[in-house]
Amino acid sequence: MSARRLRRAASPSFAFVFLFGAFAFGQSEPEGLFSAATRDLQEGRPDEAIARLETMADRGMSDAAASFNRGLAYANRASSTSSKPGDLGQAACAFAEARSLNTNAAFGKRIASAEAATQRELGRRLAARGGGGGLMEPPAPPTPSPGGRRCLGE
């Protein structure tokens, strides 16, 4: 899968960036962080979105939409000129976390699609570096850590 396809699959328009996740947090600082991160995603600022969404996760705020948007932010940055090592892995982890927290079937299909696109791109990049080919197995649903974080690099 090309980086262009990954960008299209992980773009905010693909996911219509899930604002419904904010309802789980009520009118509070988390909602403000989520709304600002959503705006950052829509306006093409993945670094800022990542910072806000990671802050939420660091504070133990678990929500499928926030995890999904964090995955989108990492995937968008992975496809940009500001890509950092580990971005696709962080995206895959965030999508797996979203899958484990999700209870909505329609949203689950979007999560699965983004997760599969990320896994294909990880496999393609690994094969291009001579590290083997083919598709990678999707990660198992993450196990919550004592601090509430579910992804690597905590």
Side-chain angles (χ1 to χ4, degrees):
M1 171 173 217
S2 71
R4 190 177 80 175
R5 277 187 162 165
L6 179 63
R7 274 193 302 274
R8 188 173 43 228
S11 72
S13 62
F14 167 79
F16 62 88
V17 186
F18 286 89
L19 292 171
F20 75 83
F23 81 89
F25 298 121
Q27 300 293 329
S28 64
E29 180 188 8
E31 183 180 68
L33 283 170
F34 185 84
S35 296
T38 299
R39 195 171 41 257
D40 291 335
L41 265 175
Q42 291 170 330
E43 295 173 2
R45 295 187 308 264
D47 290 319
E48 291 85 350
I50 289 167
R52 293 178 205 281
L53 293 164
E54 287 290 352
T55 295
M56 288 177 63
D58 288 345
R59 293 179 183 169
M61 299 166 204
S62 296
D63 178 78
S67 297
F68 183 77
N69 284 358
R70 194 170 69 246
L72 289 177
Y74 276 113
N76 284 336
R77 187 170 74 183
S79 301
S80 74
T81 57
S82 65
S83 178
K84 294 186 175 145
D87 279 349
L88 279 178
Q90 288 288 0
C93 186
F95 291 137
E97 180 179 307
R99 177 174 29 92
S100 73
L101 295 169
N102 180 52
T103 58
N104 179 292
F107 186 32
K109 290 178 183 178
R110 292 191 178 276
I111 294 168
S113 179
E115 189 174 19
T118 301
Q119 290 296 328
R120 284 190 302 272
E121 182 62 14
L122 278 166
R124 186 196 68 74
R125 289 184 185 190
L126 181 62
R129 283 189 287 190
L135 296 177
M136 298 172 60
E137 289 295 318
T143 304
S145 65
R149 292 298 311 271
R150 294 169 169 21
C151 290
L152 303 173
E154 302 163 16

